[in-house]
Amino acid sequence: MWPRLLRHAPLAALLAIAPACGESGFAPQVQLLTTACEGLQPLDGVTHLRLRVTGEGLATPIERITPVDLRPEDVPEIPPGAQRVLEVRAYSGEPSSAGSVISVGRSYPFTMPAVGAPTEPVRVTLYRVNTFVPLERADSPGTCLELTEPRAGHTATLLPDGRVVLAGGFRVTDTGQPETLQSIEILDPRERKITYLPDPGGLGSVRRALHTASLMLDGRVALVGGETVDPLDGHLTILGTGVVFDPATERVQQFNLGRARSRHAAAIDIAGRILTVGGIGADSLLLADPEGVEPAAGRTFPVPIAVPRMGASLIPFQESQRIAVVGGSDGSEVSRDVLTFSFNGVTFVPGNITVMLRQGRRDAVTTPYGDGKRLLVVGGYSSAGTPDDSARPVGASELLDLQSDAPTISQGPTIVGRGELCAVALPGGRVLTVGGRRQNGDGLLASSGSVELITPTDGLTGGVLGMLPVQPARYLHTCTPLPDGSVLVSGGVDNDGRGTRPASGTYLFMPVPRD
């Protein structure tokens, strides 16, 4: 007798389906997991499941509606092809009538062979939608997966295999002082485990915070610049080095930068070259000179144009052949200029695009939106100086079209005004915003727990739906889109304007499907 799904178990049953040949293909083995270390379980209140298969060459999804007690014969046959994804939606009620989506899970993309089925089961993990779910430890069901070291001002880089590299940052000591971290953690959301590397480079070569991280073409991660604080005397050092971290060997290789740089912005182009802009230098003054980095070769090159920007956002576009520099401040005024750069064989050179933001802003975020041809510029501060209690958060977004012959800027949807937030593009063109800082009721700049789901609409700028806030509120955190369509939120600090506390933990947000 086939095992049934257990509604309140941390792991649902393995549907060990023997591959069966049908008219359209084979039915794969499916491993359906329901994980939750606290709160409601993914199958609480669920009566029906909808199985949905998409992939290359499938003009329309293959769908099947089943009772919640999934049986082996309920799994649809899947024709051969690449990039197949099995999605499971859990409903309270009949999906075709008044049923509501409670939980969603998607497999990582897999290939169906011409004959037979994949040798490994297709794994789908269900998560409650539109809420932040703590990840559960695979080796201890019911226990939440915590970062080994609470960290903020770190970087999170998605690897091709779905793991996430969390590097550096700082933690807050018991006395309220920041302490720079030298560790790297590799978080595997699919396996629900963390690999902790206390000092992968030796001698603290990764001890850095407020640096940038870029995924290289060969799957390694380049960490550029940053800063470190001496734990004994509190002396701040701006770093003139970068490291390349290899997840396969769990080791790093260090290289030198042309200029020490921290709190800068960076983006990587189609050939693996990194453009770094702005930040502060060894004298803690604003840097005007951009720099190019070729991490695979361990070398840098000058970019001969002044771009004095703090709090700018950089984003690749046109299939990463060009890089846009959006917003920022020179310390006396916020910038409205949008600059573009491309590589000319020697260095990065500016393009001839001349377009201005409607609202000058710093510490905003820019992300693809809608069909991917437009960029959404979200939040930030309209004041030029380093964010403090006089900072003025921006409650508007802008739509930037750099793909057409005549680039344009138009008004985007209104959001909760805040800076230093994170925003990520979701499958289907939506954008999720999380956290940041805004004024509290006392007029102090404090961490925000605001979360919004921004959805493009035909002929309009888009709609904004407020979600339940992330708890605790946080900034200097990271948001990472995962292959299953969810978003991983990690780390950060919760500052209420009077004190700072670490916002530890790892949380996953699964948005409700748009269709």
Side-chain angles (χ1 to χ4, degrees):
M1 180 176 179
W2 295 104
R4 300 170 66 183
L5 294 180
L6 305 178
R7 292 175 182 266
H8 300 288
L11 297 181
L14 166 64
L15 301 183
I17 305 168
C21 180
E23 295 182 0
S24 59
F26 287 79
Q29 292 182 328
V30 175
Q31 189 179 29
L32 183 61
L33 307 178
T34 62
T35 73
C37 60
E38 61 183 40
L40 294 173
Q41 296 288 324
L43 291 177
D44 286 351
V46 170
T47 61
H48 292 76
L49 301 177
R50 170 179 277 169
L51 279 62
R52 193 170 189 263
V53 180
T54 57
E56 291 181 3
L58 297 179
T60 58
I62 299 171
E63 293 192 344
R64 182 170 295 178
I65 297 174
T66 75
V68 67
D69 295 321
L70 187 65
R71 302 165 301 175
E73 59 266 28
D74 293 329
V75 178
E77 297 164 359
I78 301 177
Q83 296 296 304
R84 299 289 186 251
V85 173
L86 173 61
E87 178 187 82
V88 178
R89 301 180 185 180
Y91 289 80
S92 61
E94 173 64 42
S96 60
S97 58
S100 299
V101 178
I102 297 294
S103 301
V104 170
R106 298 182 188 88
S107 70
Y108 282 19
F110 63 94
T111 297
M112 281 294 293
V115 178
T119 56
E120 297 293 328
V122 175
R123 183 185 302 180
V124 178
T125 304
L126 285 172
Y127 297 98
R128 304 285 294 199
V129 297
N130 288 1
T131 189
F132 287 89
V133 179
L135 291 177
E136 180 188 46
R137 288 180 53 173
D139 61 353
S140 180
T143 302
C144 295
L145 184 67
E146 297 279 343
L147 296 177
T148 309
E149 291 187 306
R151 63 187 69 221
H154 58 292
T155 54
T157 308
L158 178 67
L159 299 177
D161 61 8
R163 295 180 298 162
V164 180
V165 174
L166 304 169
F170 65 87
R171 71 180 186 93
V172 181
T173 66
D174 293 338
T175 60
Q177 299 301 312
E179 179 181 341
T180 316
L181 300 174
Q182 63 188 24
S183 62
I184 285 178
E185 301 188 50
I186 305 177
L187 191 154
D188 191 333
R190 189 167 183 260
E191 300 294 337
R192 305 189 317 284
K193 66 179 183 180
I194 287 177
T195 301
Y196 176 65
L197 307 174
D199 186 8
L203 303 177
S205 64
V206 187
R207 188 187 297 276
R208 60 189 69 225
L210 303 174
H211 54 286
T212 58
S214 302
L215 179 66
M216 298 167 57
L217 301 181
D218 59 8
R220 295 183 295 168
V221 179
L223 310 177
V224 176
E227 60 192 58
T228 184
V229 175
D230 189 304
L232 297 178
D233 61 12
H235 178 71
L236 175 69
T237 300
I238 308 299
L239 299 173
T241 62
V243 295
V244 172
F245 172 68
D246 187 344
T249 63
E250 298 182 351
R251 302 299 296 171
V252 301
Q253 184 176 3
Q254 186 168 293
F255 61 90
N256 292 323
L257 302 175
R259 298 282 297 272
R261 188 182 303 263
S262 181
R263 311 186 192 202
H264 54 287
I268 192 166
D269 73 1
I270 192 171
R273 293 174 291 256
I274 300 172
L275 174 65
T276 64
V277 172
I280 58 175
D283 53 6
S284 295
L285 298 178
L286 173 65
L287 284 176
D289 301 330
E291 185 172 4
V293 180
E294 289 184 330
R299 80 174 192 95
T300 65
F301 54 89
V303 178
I305 181 175
V307 187
R309 303 275 182 97
M310 280 289 294
S313 59
L314 267 62
I315 184 169
F317 69 104
Q318 286 188 348
E319 298 181 342
S320 296
Q321 297 184 63
R322 305 170 74 184
I323 294 174
V325 179
V326 182
S329 165
D330 64 3
S332 60
E333 62 180 1
V334 288
S335 176
R336 295 176 53 211
D337 292 341
V338 175
L339 306 177
T340 63
F341 287 85
S342 60
F343 192 74
N344 69 351
V346 178
T347 186
F348 286 107
V349 294
N352 57 5
I353 289 179
T354 56
V355 64
M356 307 280 283
L357 294 174
R358 299 161 67 98
Q359 166 72 66
R361 60 185 79 202
R362 63 168 293 167
D363 299 303
V365 63
T366 305
T367 184
Y369 181 65
D371 57 7
K373 296 181 180 179
R374 294 179 297 172
L375 302 174
L376 183 68
V377 185
V378 187
Y381 303 109
S382 62
S383 43
T386 301
D388 56 22
D389 292 336
S390 64
R392 298 186 297 275
V394 178
S397 65
E398 303 185 44
L399 293 172
L400 175 58
D401 181 0
L402 298 178
Q403 306 278 17
S404 63
D405 294 334
T408 60
I409 288 277
S410 58
Q411 181 178 340
T414 300
I415 66 163
V416 174
R418 60 203 195 277
E420 301 168 276
L421 70 167
C422 67
V424 294
L426 302 173
R430 294 180 295 176
V431 167
L432 180 74
T433 71
V434 181
R437 283 202 292 177
R438 60 180 308 202
Q439 266 91 16
N440 61 17
D442 297 325
L444 303 174
L445 196 63
S447 299
S448 170
S450 296
V451 178
E452 296 148 325
L453 193 59
I454 304 175
T455 302
T457 53
D458 294 336
L460 299 173
T461 60
V464 179
L465 181 63
M467 301 281 102
L468 292 174
V470 61
Q471 296 292 343
R474 64 192 64 212
Y475 79 108
L476 294 178
H477 56 301
T478 57
C479 300
T480 311
L482 300 179
D484 65 356
S486 63
V487 176
L488 176 73
V489 176
S490 62
V493 291
D494 178 13
N495 187 322
D496 61 4
R498 297 181 177 85
T500 299
R501 298 165 297 278
S504 60
T506 58
Y507 296 87
L508 189 140
F509 184 94
M510 177 67 77
V512 68
R514 188 179 177 188
D515 57 354

